Amino acid sequence: KEKVYKINELTAHFFHENLYKPTSKQAQEYVKQRKLDNKTLKTFLIGYSNPDYTDLYYYLKENGFSDEEMLATGLVNKTETGKFINRFRNRLMIPIRDIKGKVIAFGGRVLDDSKPKYINSPENIVYTKGKNLFGLDVAKKNDLSKIIIVEGYMDVISLFQRGITNVVASLGTALTENQGRLLRKYAKQVILGYDSDGAGQAAIVRGLD
């Protein structure tokens, strides 16, 4: 577990530093388009994964991690031919942190309209999506008597930037009992603010239950 936490932390900083490099123009343009300022980028440690297939793999190798340890994080995949390649390529990278601020997983968003829009880390020894809430580590630093729960990472990030800090996202699952317990620990009132489409409204009804 300790190794997985360490790899995740290193990787989050690796992606974050990538975002500021002259070679990351496409990601920088996307960030500008979404009007994300530097404070927001730093608060959520937002980064960028290059189109490169192996840069992260070799970076982690240089830092002394074994193939097995890297595979355990879900950041690296093994191909049928036995090659190790990065799971995330050419995406805006959003680290997912637990309540203590430890990086447990990643969400990667495309920079254009290609599909799938998001690729997420698979569940692993430190990450179970139904037990965590994206943004709770940031939200708990402010007043949390009311908490708004939204669908996606970018919803949380956009609201945060506009001064609404009491907001978290439910990591692509309908609200779970474990997430409910987490919310109860920190907030007196929970506001479900999912999307207004049919799926979002159905998720609200399930969440209320």
Side-chain angles (χ1 to χ4, degrees), residues 47-93:
Y48 171 60
S49 56
N50 287 324
D52 194 296
Y53 273 76
T54 53
D55 62 342
L56 176 65
Y57 172 72
Y58 284 115
Y59 171 74
L60 293 172
K61 203 90 177 133
E62 278 163 29
N63 277 279
F65 296 103
S66 70
D67 295 343
E68 201 182 342
E69 286 159 356
M70 287 186 239
L71 287 171
T73 65
L75 286 161
V76 168
N77 292 332
K78 192 176 185 178
T79 67
E80 284 173 12
T81 57
K83 266 186 76 174
F84 293 93
I85 59 167
N86 307 333
R87 171 183 291 269
F88 298 101
R89 299 183 298 278
N90 197 28
R91 287 175 179 266
L92 192 76
M93 297 305 300

mmCIF file of all heavy atoms in Angstrom, residues 47-93:
data_model
loop_
_atom_site.group_PDB
_atom_site.id
_atom_site.type_symbol
_atom_site.label_atom_id
_atom_site.label_comp_id
_atom_site.label_asym_id
_atom_site.label_seq_id
_atom_site.Cartn_x
_atom_site.Cartn_y
_atom_site.Cartn_z
ATOM 1 N N GLY A 47 -2.890 18.124 -13.813
ATOM 2 C CA GLY A 47 -1.707 17.914 -14.633
ATOM 3 C C GLY A 47 -2.049 17.486 -16.048
ATOM 4 O O GLY A 47 -3.199 17.596 -16.493
ATOM 5 N N TYR A 48 -1.030 16.982 -16.732
ATOM 6 C CA TYR A 48 -1.195 16.580 -18.134
ATOM 7 C C TYR A 48 -0.350 15.349 -18.414
ATOM 8 O O TYR A 48 0.826 15.295 -18.053
ATOM 9 C CB TYR A 48 -0.772 17.751 -19.039
ATOM 10 C CG TYR A 48 -0.695 17.405 -20.510
ATOM 11 C CD1 TYR A 48 -1.815 16.941 -21.212
ATOM 12 C CD2 TYR A 48 0.499 17.552 -21.213
ATOM 13 C CE1 TYR A 48 -1.747 16.630 -22.561
ATOM 14 C CE2 TYR A 48 0.573 17.244 -22.571
ATOM 15 C CZ TYR A 48 -0.544 16.783 -23.239
ATOM 16 O OH TYR A 48 -0.477 16.463 -24.575
ATOM 17 N N SER A 49 -0.970 14.336 -19.062
ATOM 18 C CA SER A 49 -0.199 13.156 -19.480
ATOM 19 C C SER A 49 0.127 13.316 -20.962
ATOM 20 O O SER A 49 -0.765 13.560 -21.776
ATOM 21 C CB SER A 49 -1.003 11.871 -19.241
ATOM 22 O OG SER A 49 -2.248 11.939 -19.912
ATOM 23 N N ASN A 50 1.394 13.221 -21.295
ATOM 24 C CA ASN A 50 1.848 13.351 -22.693
ATOM 25 C C ASN A 50 1.245 12.261 -23.576
ATOM 26 O O ASN A 50 0.852 11.216 -23.071
ATOM 27 C CB ASN A 50 3.378 13.190 -22.754
ATOM 28 C CG ASN A 50 4.063 14.408 -22.195
ATOM 29 O OD1 ASN A 50 3.596 15.516 -22.379
ATOM 30 N ND2 ASN A 50 5.170 14.205 -21.502
ATOM 31 N N PRO A 51 1.294 12.463 -24.914
ATOM 32 C CA PRO A 51 0.869 11.381 -25.811
ATOM 33 C C PRO A 51 1.838 10.185 -25.765
ATOM 34 O O PRO A 51 1.537 9.115 -26.278
ATOM 35 C CB PRO A 51 0.899 12.037 -27.207
ATOM 36 C CG PRO A 51 0.898 13.505 -26.951
ATOM 37 C CD PRO A 51 1.582 13.706 -25.641
ATOM 38 N N ASP A 52 2.988 10.395 -25.130
ATOM 39 C CA ASP A 52 4.029 9.354 -25.046
ATOM 40 C C ASP A 52 3.510 8.082 -24.361
ATOM 41 O O ASP A 52 2.775 8.156 -23.388
ATOM 42 C CB ASP A 52 5.203 9.943 -24.246
ATOM 43 C CG ASP A 52 6.471 9.129 -24.372
ATOM 44 O OD1 ASP A 52 6.470 7.964 -23.917
ATOM 45 O OD2 ASP A 52 7.450 9.641 -24.928
ATOM 46 N N TYR A 53 3.939 6.933 -24.850
ATOM 47 C CA TYR A 53 3.459 5.652 -24.307
ATOM 48 C C TYR A 53 4.242 5.181 -23.077
ATOM 49 O O TYR A 53 3.757 4.348 -22.323
ATOM 50 C CB TYR A 53 3.552 4.555 -25.384
ATOM 51 C CG TYR A 53 2.341 4.491 -26.269
ATOM 52 C CD1 TYR A 53 2.143 5.440 -27.270
ATOM 53 C CD2 TYR A 53 1.376 3.498 -26.103
ATOM 54 C CE1 TYR A 53 1.024 5.395 -28.088
ATOM 55 C CE2 TYR A 53 0.247 3.446 -26.919
ATOM 56 C CZ TYR A 53 0.079 4.398 -27.898
ATOM 57 O OH TYR A 53 -1.040 4.353 -28.698
ATOM 58 N N THR A 54 5.460 5.678 -22.904
ATOM 59 C CA THR A 54 6.306 5.069 -21.854
ATOM 60 C C THR A 54 7.001 6.061 -20.917
ATOM 61 O O THR A 54 7.739 5.648 -20.041
ATOM 62 C CB THR A 54 7.400 4.181 -22.498
ATOM 63 O OG1 THR A 54 8.109 4.979 -23.469
ATOM 64 C CG2 THR A 54 6.819 2.957 -23.178
ATOM 65 N N ASP A 55 6.795 7.373 -21.078
ATOM 66 C CA ASP A 55 7.570 8.329 -20.258
ATOM 67 C C ASP A 55 7.349 8.124 -18.759
ATOM 68 O O ASP A 55 8.297 8.080 -17.978
ATOM 69 C CB ASP A 55 7.315 9.788 -20.668
ATOM 70 C CG ASP A 55 5.861 10.230 -20.492
ATOM 71 O OD1 ASP A 55 4.972 9.354 -20.389
ATOM 72 O OD2 ASP A 55 5.609 11.445 -20.470
ATOM 73 N N LEU A 56 6.090 7.933 -18.354
ATOM 74 C CA LEU A 56 5.809 7.732 -16.923
ATOM 75 C C LEU A 56 6.420 6.422 -16.439
ATOM 76 O O LEU A 56 7.020 6.359 -15.356
ATOM 77 C CB LEU A 56 4.300 7.741 -16.654
ATOM 78 C CG LEU A 56 3.898 7.436 -15.195
ATOM 79 C CD1 LEU A 56 4.385 8.536 -14.253
ATOM 80 C CD2 LEU A 56 2.391 7.251 -15.062
ATOM 81 N N TYR A 57 6.275 5.379 -17.248
ATOM 82 C CA TYR A 57 6.830 4.063 -16.890
ATOM 83 C C TYR A 57 8.325 4.177 -16.593
ATOM 84 O O TYR A 57 8.804 3.711 -15.540
ATOM 85 C CB TYR A 57 6.581 3.055 -18.020
ATOM 86 C CG TYR A 57 7.298 1.734 -17.816
ATOM 87 C CD1 TYR A 57 6.878 0.829 -16.849
ATOM 88 C CD2 TYR A 57 8.420 1.411 -18.581
ATOM 89 C CE1 TYR A 57 7.546 -0.380 -16.646
ATOM 90 C CE2 TYR A 57 9.094 0.211 -18.388
ATOM 91 C CZ TYR A 57 8.655 -0.679 -17.422
ATOM 92 O OH TYR A 57 9.327 -1.861 -17.219
ATOM 93 N N TYR A 58 9.077 4.836 -17.477
ATOM 94 C CA TYR A 58 10.535 4.939 -17.264
ATOM 95 C C TYR A 58 10.881 5.875 -16.115
ATOM 96 O O TYR A 58 11.861 5.657 -15.404
ATOM 97 C CB TYR A 58 11.243 5.359 -18.566
ATOM 98 C CG TYR A 58 11.329 4.199 -19.538
ATOM 99 C CD1 TYR A 58 10.654 4.218 -20.755
ATOM 100 C CD2 TYR A 58 12.051 3.040 -19.212
ATOM 101 C CE1 TYR A 58 10.707 3.128 -21.624
ATOM 102 C CE2 TYR A 58 12.109 1.951 -20.072
ATOM 103 C CZ TYR A 58 11.431 2.004 -21.271
ATOM 104 O OH TYR A 58 11.483 0.926 -22.116
ATOM 105 N N TYR A 59 10.052 6.888 -15.915
ATOM 106 C CA TYR A 59 10.265 7.803 -14.788
ATOM 107 C C TYR A 59 10.133 7.042 -13.456
ATOM 108 O O TYR A 59 10.955 7.199 -12.554
ATOM 109 C CB TYR A 59 9.251 8.949 -14.865
ATOM 110 C CG TYR A 59 9.221 9.838 -13.644
ATOM 111 C CD1 TYR A 59 10.248 10.755 -13.398
ATOM 112 C CD2 TYR A 59 8.181 9.762 -12.717
ATOM 113 C CE1 TYR A 59 10.226 11.566 -12.264
ATOM 114 C CE2 TYR A 59 8.144 10.569 -11.592
ATOM 115 C CZ TYR A 59 9.174 11.476 -11.372
ATOM 116 O OH TYR A 59 9.166 12.267 -10.254
ATOM 117 N N LEU A 60 9.108 6.216 -13.350
ATOM 118 C CA LEU A 60 8.895 5.432 -12.122
ATOM 119 C C LEU A 60 9.977 4.369 -11.949
ATOM 120 O O LEU A 60 10.430 4.095 -10.847
ATOM 121 C CB LEU A 60 7.499 4.795 -12.133
ATOM 122 C CG LEU A 60 6.324 5.781 -12.051
ATOM 123 C CD1 LEU A 60 4.996 5.077 -12.271
ATOM 124 C CD2 LEU A 60 6.307 6.529 -10.705
ATOM 125 N N LYS A 61 10.413 3.806 -13.059
ATOM 126 C CA LYS A 61 11.502 2.812 -13.061
ATOM 127 C C LYS A 61 12.764 3.454 -12.476
ATOM 128 O O LYS A 61 13.428 2.884 -11.614
ATOM 129 C CB LYS A 61 11.731 2.369 -14.511
ATOM 130 C CG LYS A 61 12.393 1.027 -14.667
ATOM 131 C CD LYS A 61 11.366 -0.074 -14.720
ATOM 132 C CE LYS A 61 12.020 -1.409 -14.954
ATOM 133 N NZ LYS A 61 11.488 -2.408 -14.012
ATOM 134 N N GLU A 62 13.071 4.661 -12.966
ATOM 135 C CA GLU A 62 14.254 5.409 -12.478
ATOM 136 C C GLU A 62 14.147 5.686 -10.987
ATOM 137 O O GLU A 62 15.153 5.815 -10.296
ATOM 138 C CB GLU A 62 14.380 6.746 -13.213
ATOM 139 C CG GLU A 62 15.054 6.653 -14.571
ATOM 140 C CD GLU A 62 14.770 7.894 -15.419
ATOM 141 O OE1 GLU A 62 14.566 8.983 -14.833
ATOM 142 O OE2 GLU A 62 14.744 7.752 -16.658
ATOM 143 N N ASN A 63 12.909 5.802 -10.492
ATOM 144 C CA ASN A 63 12.705 6.066 -9.063
ATOM 145 C C ASN A 63 12.660 4.786 -8.226
ATOM 146 O O ASN A 63 12.285 4.812 -7.052
ATOM 147 C CB ASN A 63 11.448 6.904 -8.856
ATOM 148 C CG ASN A 63 11.723 8.380 -9.060
ATOM 149 O OD1 ASN A 63 12.220 9.060 -8.172
ATOM 150 N ND2 ASN A 63 11.451 8.868 -10.260
ATOM 151 N N GLY A 64 13.006 3.672 -8.856
ATOM 152 C CA GLY A 64 13.202 2.429 -8.110
ATOM 153 C C GLY A 64 11.983 1.548 -7.922
ATOM 154 O O GLY A 64 11.998 0.634 -7.094
ATOM 155 N N PHE A 65 10.917 1.806 -8.670
ATOM 156 C CA PHE A 65 9.717 0.979 -8.508
ATOM 157 C C PHE A 65 9.717 -0.187 -9.487
ATOM 158 O O PHE A 65 10.178 -0.066 -10.614
ATOM 159 C CB PHE A 65 8.445 1.821 -8.683
ATOM 160 C CG PHE A 65 8.299 2.875 -7.616
ATOM 161 C CD1 PHE A 65 8.593 4.202 -7.878
ATOM 162 C CD2 PHE A 65 7.905 2.522 -6.329
ATOM 163 C CE1 PHE A 65 8.480 5.177 -6.892
ATOM 164 C CE2 PHE A 65 7.786 3.481 -5.328
ATOM 165 C CZ PHE A 65 8.076 4.810 -5.608
ATOM 166 N N SER A 66 9.185 -1.316 -9.035
ATOM 167 C CA SER A 66 9.168 -2.514 -9.883
ATOM 168 C C SER A 66 7.931 -2.506 -10.787
ATOM 169 O O SER A 66 6.956 -1.792 -10.529
ATOM 170 C CB SER A 66 9.130 -3.768 -9.008
ATOM 171 O OG SER A 66 7.863 -3.868 -8.371
ATOM 172 N N ASP A 67 7.967 -3.338 -11.826
ATOM 173 C CA ASP A 67 6.833 -3.460 -12.747
ATOM 174 C C ASP A 67 5.571 -3.855 -11.980
ATOM 175 O O ASP A 67 4.486 -3.329 -12.227
ATOM 176 C CB ASP A 67 7.126 -4.520 -13.827
ATOM 177 C CG ASP A 67 8.281 -4.102 -14.739
ATOM 178 O OD1 ASP A 67 8.623 -2.897 -14.745
ATOM 179 O OD2 ASP A 67 8.843 -4.972 -15.426
ATOM 180 N N GLU A 68 5.741 -4.783 -11.058
ATOM 181 C CA GLU A 68 4.619 -5.290 -10.270
ATOM 182 C C GLU A 68 3.946 -4.162 -9.456
ATOM 183 O O GLU A 68 2.729 -4.057 -9.405
ATOM 184 C CB GLU A 68 5.133 -6.372 -9.319
ATOM 185 C CG GLU A 68 4.059 -7.307 -8.817
ATOM 186 C CD GLU A 68 4.617 -8.343 -7.842
ATOM 187 O OE1 GLU A 68 5.857 -8.553 -7.825
ATOM 188 O OE2 GLU A 68 3.822 -8.914 -7.106
ATOM 189 N N GLU A 69 4.782 -3.318 -8.849
ATOM 190 C CA GLU A 69 4.266 -2.196 -8.050
ATOM 191 C C GLU A 69 3.513 -1.200 -8.938
ATOM 192 O O GLU A 69 2.459 -0.683 -8.559
ATOM 193 C CB GLU A 69 5.412 -1.500 -7.310
ATOM 194 C CG GLU A 69 5.926 -2.319 -6.145
ATOM 195 C CD GLU A 69 7.346 -1.942 -5.704
ATOM 196 O OE1 GLU A 69 8.001 -1.088 -6.341
ATOM 197 O OE2 GLU A 69 7.807 -2.545 -4.701
ATOM 198 N N MET A 70 4.061 -0.961 -10.114
ATOM 199 C CA MET A 70 3.405 -0.023 -11.046
ATOM 200 C C MET A 70 2.066 -0.577 -11.530
ATOM 201 O O MET A 70 1.068 0.139 -11.608
ATOM 202 C CB MET A 70 4.304 0.254 -12.250
ATOM 203 C CG MET A 70 5.481 1.142 -11.926
ATOM 204 S SD MET A 70 6.352 1.520 -13.461
ATOM 205 C CE MET A 70 7.955 0.872 -13.103
ATOM 206 N N LEU A 71 2.035 -1.877 -11.830
ATOM 207 C CA LEU A 71 0.793 -2.509 -12.293
ATOM 208 C C LEU A 71 -0.282 -2.424 -11.208
ATOM 209 O O LEU A 71 -1.466 -2.260 -11.497
ATOM 210 C CB LEU A 71 1.035 -3.972 -12.682
ATOM 211 C CG LEU A 71 1.803 -4.215 -13.993
ATOM 212 C CD1 LEU A 71 2.159 -5.693 -14.132
ATOM 213 C CD2 LEU A 71 1.016 -3.754 -15.216
ATOM 214 N N ALA A 72 0.142 -2.511 -9.949
ATOM 215 C CA ALA A 72 -0.804 -2.467 -8.823
ATOM 216 C C ALA A 72 -1.527 -1.118 -8.721
ATOM 217 O O ALA A 72 -2.623 -1.030 -8.179
ATOM 218 C CB ALA A 72 -0.079 -2.764 -7.513
ATOM 219 N N THR A 73 -0.923 -0.061 -9.280
ATOM 220 C CA THR A 73 -1.553 1.268 -9.214
ATOM 221 C C THR A 73 -2.563 1.472 -10.338
ATOM 222 O O THR A 73 -3.394 2.367 -10.267
ATOM 223 C CB THR A 73 -0.503 2.398 -9.362
ATOM 224 O OG1 THR A 73 0.066 2.321 -10.678
ATOM 225 C CG2 THR A 73 0.578 2.312 -8.318
ATOM 226 N N GLY A 74 -2.443 0.660 -11.411
ATOM 227 C CA GLY A 74 -3.311 0.861 -12.580
ATOM 228 C C GLY A 74 -2.826 1.984 -13.480
ATOM 229 O O GLY A 74 -3.484 2.331 -14.468
ATOM 230 N N LEU A 75 -1.671 2.584 -13.165
ATOM 231 C CA LEU A 75 -1.131 3.665 -14.005
ATOM 232 C C LEU A 75 -0.406 3.119 -15.231
ATOM 233 O O LEU A 75 -0.198 3.818 -16.220
ATOM 234 C CB LEU A 75 -0.148 4.522 -13.193
ATOM 235 C CG LEU A 75 -0.783 5.451 -12.169
ATOM 236 C CD1 LEU A 75 0.236 5.898 -11.132
ATOM 237 C CD2 LEU A 75 -1.412 6.661 -12.862
ATOM 238 N N VAL A 76 -0.007 1.853 -15.116
ATOM 239 C CA VAL A 76 0.733 1.199 -16.192
ATOM 240 C C VAL A 76 0.010 -0.092 -16.557
ATOM 241 O O VAL A 76 -0.486 -0.792 -15.672
ATOM 242 C CB VAL A 76 2.188 0.909 -15.728
ATOM 243 C CG1 VAL A 76 2.910 -0.027 -16.681
ATOM 244 C CG2 VAL A 76 2.968 2.220 -15.593
ATOM 245 N N ASN A 77 -0.075 -0.368 -17.837
ATOM 246 C CA ASN A 77 -0.678 -1.618 -18.319
ATOM 247 C C ASN A 77 0.371 -2.471 -19.014
ATOM 248 O O ASN A 77 1.338 -1.937 -19.562
ATOM 249 C CB ASN A 77 -1.798 -1.330 -19.330
ATOM 250 C CG ASN A 77 -2.988 -0.663 -18.685
ATOM 251 O OD1 ASN A 77 -3.238 -0.853 -17.500
ATOM 252 N ND2 ASN A 77 -3.730 0.128 -19.445
ATOM 253 N N LYS A 78 0.150 -3.778 -19.020
ATOM 254 C CA LYS A 78 1.047 -4.682 -19.740
ATOM 255 C C LYS A 78 0.338 -5.141 -21.012
ATOM 256 O O LYS A 78 -0.793 -5.624 -20.951
ATOM 257 C CB LYS A 78 1.381 -5.884 -18.848
ATOM 258 C CG LYS A 78 2.517 -6.735 -19.378
ATOM 259 C CD LYS A 78 2.829 -7.851 -18.376
ATOM 260 C CE LYS A 78 4.040 -8.642 -18.845
ATOM 261 N NZ LYS A 78 4.389 -9.700 -17.884
ATOM 262 N N THR A 79 0.987 -4.987 -22.160
ATOM 263 C CA THR A 79 0.361 -5.391 -23.428
ATOM 264 C C THR A 79 0.509 -6.899 -23.616
ATOM 265 O O THR A 79 1.247 -7.561 -22.879
ATOM 266 C CB THR A 79 1.037 -4.685 -24.626
ATOM 267 O OG1 THR A 79 2.381 -5.185 -24.738
ATOM 268 C CG2 THR A 79 1.070 -3.169 -24.454
ATOM 269 N N GLU A 80 -0.169 -7.413 -24.635
ATOM 270 C CA GLU A 80 -0.086 -8.855 -24.922
ATOM 271 C C GLU A 80 1.332 -9.282 -25.277
ATOM 272 O O GLU A 80 1.716 -10.428 -25.095
ATOM 273 C CB GLU A 80 -1.047 -9.213 -26.065
ATOM 274 C CG GLU A 80 -2.500 -9.251 -25.603
ATOM 275 C CD GLU A 80 -3.477 -9.443 -26.744
ATOM 276 O OE1 GLU A 80 -3.035 -9.775 -27.867
ATOM 277 O OE2 GLU A 80 -4.688 -9.283 -26.498
ATOM 278 N N THR A 81 2.096 -8.331 -25.806
ATOM 279 C CA THR A 81 3.487 -8.665 -26.189
ATOM 280 C C THR A 81 4.455 -8.504 -25.011
ATOM 281 O O THR A 81 5.661 -8.648 -25.156
ATOM 282 C CB THR A 81 3.965 -7.785 -27.368
ATOM 283 O OG1 THR A 81 3.821 -6.400 -26.971
ATOM 284 C CG2 THR A 81 3.150 -8.035 -28.617
ATOM 285 N N GLY A 82 3.878 -8.153 -23.831
ATOM 286 C CA GLY A 82 4.733 -8.046 -22.640
ATOM 287 C C GLY A 82 5.362 -6.682 -22.426
ATOM 288 O O GLY A 82 6.198 -6.486 -21.546
ATOM 289 N N LYS A 83 4.959 -5.692 -23.239
ATOM 290 C CA LYS A 83 5.490 -4.329 -23.070
ATOM 291 C C LYS A 83 4.679 -3.594 -22.007
ATOM 292 O O LYS A 83 3.488 -3.841 -21.835
ATOM 293 C CB LYS A 83 5.359 -3.551 -24.391
ATOM 294 C CG LYS A 83 6.600 -3.609 -25.267
ATOM 295 C CD LYS A 83 6.444 -2.700 -26.474
ATOM 296 C CE LYS A 83 6.624 -1.235 -26.053
ATOM 297 N NZ LYS A 83 6.610 -0.330 -27.227
ATOM 298 N N PHE A 84 5.338 -2.679 -21.313
ATOM 299 C CA PHE A 84 4.646 -1.865 -20.307
ATOM 300 C C PHE A 84 4.377 -0.484 -20.885
ATOM 301 O O PHE A 84 5.306 0.176 -21.359
ATOM 302 C CB PHE A 84 5.481 -1.767 -19.028
ATOM 303 C CG PHE A 84 5.599 -3.083 -18.314
ATOM 304 C CD1 PHE A 84 6.679 -3.928 -18.550
ATOM 305 C CD2 PHE A 84 4.613 -3.498 -17.439
ATOM 306 C CE1 PHE A 84 6.777 -5.155 -17.905
ATOM 307 C CE2 PHE A 84 4.691 -4.728 -16.790
ATOM 308 C CZ PHE A 84 5.778 -5.550 -17.033
ATOM 309 N N ILE A 85 3.119 -0.057 -20.828
ATOM 310 C CA ILE A 85 2.763 1.263 -21.372
ATOM 311 C C ILE A 85 1.894 2.041 -20.377
ATOM 312 O O ILE A 85 1.226 1.469 -19.534
ATOM 313 C CB ILE A 85 2.025 1.147 -22.736
ATOM 314 C CG1 ILE A 85 0.733 0.329 -22.591
ATOM 315 C CG2 ILE A 85 2.929 0.570 -23.822
ATOM 316 C CD1 ILE A 85 -0.203 0.422 -23.787
ATOM 317 N N ASN A 86 1.924 3.356 -20.522
ATOM 318 C CA ASN A 86 1.116 4.222 -19.653
ATOM 319 C C ASN A 86 -0.372 4.047 -19.959
ATOM 320 O O ASN A 86 -0.761 3.995 -21.120
ATOM 321 C CB ASN A 86 1.457 5.701 -19.899
ATOM 322 C CG ASN A 86 2.942 5.994 -19.783
ATOM 323 O OD1 ASN A 86 3.666 5.299 -19.083
ATOM 324 N ND2 ASN A 86 3.400 7.025 -20.473
ATOM 325 N N ARG A 87 -1.190 3.984 -18.928
ATOM 326 C CA ARG A 87 -2.644 3.938 -19.128
ATOM 327 C C ARG A 87 -3.151 5.274 -19.685
ATOM 328 O O ARG A 87 -4.024 5.312 -20.542
ATOM 329 C CB ARG A 87 -3.358 3.659 -17.796
ATOM 330 C CG ARG A 87 -4.888 3.824 -17.881
ATOM 331 C CD ARG A 87 -5.548 3.613 -16.535
ATOM 332 N NE ARG A 87 -5.462 2.238 -16.128
ATOM 333 C CZ ARG A 87 -6.372 1.302 -16.401
ATOM 334 N NH1 ARG A 87 -7.452 1.611 -17.087
ATOM 335 N NH2 ARG A 87 -6.219 0.075 -15.984
ATOM 336 N N PHE A 88 -2.634 6.383 -19.154
ATOM 337 C CA PHE A 88 -3.140 7.700 -19.519
ATOM 338 C C PHE A 88 -2.205 8.379 -20.518
ATOM 339 O O PHE A 88 -1.013 8.533 -20.243
ATOM 340 C CB PHE A 88 -3.240 8.587 -18.265
ATOM 341 C CG PHE A 88 -4.200 8.057 -17.225
ATOM 342 C CD1 PHE A 88 -3.728 7.383 -16.103
ATOM 343 C CD2 PHE A 88 -5.567 8.241 -17.371
ATOM 344 C CE1 PHE A 88 -4.615 6.902 -15.133
ATOM 345 C CE2 PHE A 88 -6.462 7.768 -16.409
ATOM 346 C CZ PHE A 88 -5.985 7.103 -15.293
ATOM 347 N N ARG A 89 -2.778 8.803 -21.650
ATOM 348 C CA ARG A 89 -1.978 9.499 -22.663
ATOM 349 C C ARG A 89 -2.791 10.662 -23.235
ATOM 350 O O ARG A 89 -3.952 10.509 -23.574
ATOM 351 C CB ARG A 89 -1.570 8.541 -23.789
ATOM 352 C CG ARG A 89 -0.721 7.377 -23.313
ATOM 353 C CD ARG A 89 -0.272 6.474 -24.453
ATOM 354 N NE ARG A 89 -1.378 5.851 -25.169
ATOM 355 C CZ ARG A 89 -2.015 4.754 -24.747
ATOM 356 N NH1 ARG A 89 -1.663 4.158 -23.617
ATOM 357 N NH2 ARG A 89 -3.003 4.255 -25.463
ATOM 358 N N ASN A 90 -2.125 11.800 -23.334
ATOM 359 C CA ASN A 90 -2.721 13.016 -23.909
ATOM 360 C C ASN A 90 -4.064 13.371 -23.264
ATOM 361 O O ASN A 90 -5.067 13.580 -23.935
ATOM 362 C CB ASN A 90 -2.879 12.866 -25.433
ATOM 363 C CG ASN A 90 -3.080 14.222 -26.096
ATOM 364 O OD1 ASN A 90 -2.623 15.244 -25.599
ATOM 365 N ND2 ASN A 90 -3.784 14.251 -27.210
ATOM 366 N N ARG A 91 -4.049 13.438 -21.949
ATOM 367 C CA ARG A 91 -5.261 13.802 -21.196
ATOM 368 C C ARG A 91 -4.932 14.804 -20.091
ATOM 369 O O ARG A 91 -3.820 14.809 -19.565
ATOM 370 C CB ARG A 91 -5.883 12.550 -20.563
ATOM 371 C CG ARG A 91 -6.561 11.662 -21.592
ATOM 372 C CD ARG A 91 -7.078 10.359 -21.017
ATOM 373 N NE ARG A 91 -7.725 9.592 -22.074
ATOM 374 C CZ ARG A 91 -9.033 9.609 -22.341
ATOM 375 N NH1 ARG A 91 -9.850 10.297 -21.581
ATOM 376 N NH2 ARG A 91 -9.531 8.915 -23.344
ATOM 377 N N LEU A 92 -5.931 15.605 -19.750
ATOM 378 C CA LEU A 92 -5.820 16.451 -18.567
ATOM 379 C C LEU A 92 -5.978 15.523 -17.372
ATOM 380 O O LEU A 92 -6.932 14.746 -17.309
ATOM 381 C CB LEU A 92 -6.924 17.509 -18.558
ATOM 382 C CG LEU A 92 -6.723 18.617 -17.521
ATOM 383 C CD1 LEU A 92 -5.654 19.596 -18.002
ATOM 384 C CD2 LEU A 92 -8.028 19.362 -17.260
ATOM 385 N N MET A 93 -5.040 15.570 -16.448
ATOM 386 C CA MET A 93 -5.020 14.601 -15.352
ATOM 387 C C MET A 93 -5.489 15.225 -14.034
ATOM 388 O O MET A 93 -4.992 16.272 -13.624
ATOM 389 C CB MET A 93 -3.598 14.042 -15.180
ATOM 390 C CG MET A 93 -3.093 13.268 -16.395
ATOM 391 S SD MET A 93 -4.186 11.917 -16.897
ATOM 392 C CE MET A 93 -4.191 10.929 -15.412
#
